[in-house]
Amino acid sequence: MDDATQKAGVLIEALGWIRQFRDKHVVIKLGGSALENDETVRNLLTDVIFMGAVGMRPILVHGGGKAISQAMQDAGIEPRFVQGRRYTDQQTIELVSEVLAKEICGSLVAEMRKQAGHAMGLSYLSQNCLIGEKLTLTGEGGEEIDLGRVGRIVDIDADLIRRTCEAGIIPVIPSIALDSAGDKLNVNADTAAAAVARLLNVEKLIFLSDVPGIFLDQHDPETLQNHLDVNRCRQLIADGTIATGMVPKVDAALEAIAAGVRKVHIVDGRKSHSLLLEIYSDHGIGTEIVPPASA
């Protein structure tokens, strides 16, 4: 009886959040190590299906994890880096596109359908929704540095994404964009997810990471920050507390919030049912980033 009462308490706690987020769009970025374990992926997709079943409108944006690196190695393609960024030539973009839009997106959609969820891939293979332009860097002398078929999102087909959600279907979007000429561009999945969240003006943007969130001390789990505002995040980037691979995620989060996204969450995607615990419980398990208190 105690166990049953506890379960009822969990459902009652979730009820308020379910009501609050009904019909709200949320963008979930899946990638990195979260894609490397089949059981982890199944659990995450169960959470996404649950979100849709209780009235939320989830949108899944994904990267490639190790699958792209493995495919390049199998094809004998040597990686080339320019100012720390991977150069993407024509052969590489074709391979990356195949892995992302066909293999990974296809497997995610198939798994959700296997779990009785309704999902659809939105990409250049079906209906494209990411519109991009080539991304270039500026050299020390002010010269333009070409990165090949690397891009950034400049627009989305928001109507297509909304219609898909309204039909009760979960959009699954690989981080490949098309430019104005219809050519493919490789886009960073974090920035792609942030762009979709920004341009749709969604309720939440969730980054599924391989760490529990943002720590003040990486060696002390007690310093996990459950709640940070934009100004505090900027301070932590400036003093080096937020560093390395977390910086692009937080930068994307700040840009999304500046454009109107209400909250950004950084959650450990390896933890079982981390999405449900973060969204439908009173305390959550990751780090949420919000606008400044004065905003």
Side-chain angles (χ1 to χ4, degrees), residues 3 41 57 96 107 111 142 161 182 184 224 229 243 251 264 282 285 287:
D3 185 48
V41 172
R57 292 179 174 172
V96 168
S107 68
E111 175 59 33
I161 298 173
K184 295 184 281 291
L224 175 66
D229 73 9
D251 280 341
V264 178
D282 291 343
I285 60 168
T287 298

Side-chain angles (χ1 to χ4, degrees), residues 157-204:
D157 189 336
D159 287 341
L160 171 61
I161 298 173
R162 289 194 186 99
R163 287 198 309 270
T164 304
C165 291
E166 287 166 4
I169 299 170
I170 298 166
V172 182
I173 306 172
S175 56
I176 293 290
L178 296 183
D179 64 16
S180 58
D183 294 323
K184 295 184 281 291
L185 294 167
N186 186 16
V187 180
N188 176 278
D190 286 342
T191 58
V196 172
R198 202 172 62 240
L199 294 167
L200 275 178
N201 194 24
V202 303
E203 182 73 20
K204 290 178 181 288

Side-chain angles (χ1 to χ4, degrees), residues 49 63 94 98 115 161 273:
I49 293 167
E94 295 301 333
E98 176 84 3
Q115 295 189 36
I161 298 173
H273 301 301

Side-chain angles (χ1 to χ4, degrees), residues 89-291:
D89 59 19
Q90 192 59 41
Q91 181 185 12
T92 302
I93 190 62
E94 295 301 333
L95 183 147
V96 168
S97 301
E98 176 84 3
V99 171
L100 286 172
K102 188 173 183 180
E103 295 178 17
I104 297 177
C105 182
S107 68
L108 294 174
V109 169
E111 175 59 33
M112 280 196 275
R113 290 176 177 172
K114 183 179 177 181
Q115 295 189 36
H118 302 288
M120 176 187 297
L122 298 182
S123 74
Y124 69 93
L125 290 175
S126 54
Q127 300 179 82
N128 183 66
C129 65
L130 299 184
I131 302 158
E133 66 179 15
K134 283 187 66 174
L135 177 66
T136 57
L137 300 178
T138 302
E140 293 180 1
E143 73 278 12
E144 189 176 271
I145 299 176
D146 183 30
L147 295 171
R149 302 307 305 171
V150 174
R152 67 182 188 93
I153 304 300
V154 294
D155 201 0
I156 62 172
D157 189 336
D159 287 341
L160 171 61
I161 298 173
R162 289 194 186 99
R163 287 198 309 270
T164 304
C165 291
E166 287 166 4
I169 299 170
I170 298 166
V172 182
I173 306 172
S175 56
I176 293 290
L178 296 183
D179 64 16
S180 58
D183 294 323
K184 295 184 281 291
L185 294 167
N186 186 16
V187 180
N188 176 278
D190 286 342
T191 58
V196 172
R198 202 172 62 240
L199 294 167
L200 275 178
N201 194 24
V202 303
E203 182 73 20
K204 290 178 181 288
L205 167 61
I206 302 172
F207 290 111
L208 294 172
S209 182
D210 55 3
V211 294
I214 297 173
F215 293 89
L216 296 183
D217 180 350
Q218 295 296 326
H219 305 292
D220 183 359
E222 296 298 319
T223 66
L224 175 66
Q225 302 297 290
N226 298 115
H227 181 92
L228 292 170
D229 73 9
V230 165
N231 292 336
R232 181 61 173 148
C233 285
R234 291 197 179 103
Q235 291 171 0
L236 295 176
I237 292 173
D239 67 19
T241 301
I242 295 175
T244 61
M246 189 61 74
V247 174
K249 279 185 173 58
V250 177
D251 280 341
L254 300 186
E255 187 176 350
I257 288 174
V261 175
R262 281 65 161 178
K263 282 187 181 181
V264 178
H265 301 255
I266 298 174
V267 179
D268 191 344
R270 302 166 302 175
K271 185 175 179 64
S272 182
H273 301 301
S274 55
L275 276 173
L276 299 187
L277 291 169
E278 179 68 10
I279 294 173
Y280 296 114
S281 65
D282 291 343
H283 300 291
I285 60 168
T287 298
E288 65 174 16
I289 302 174
V290 300

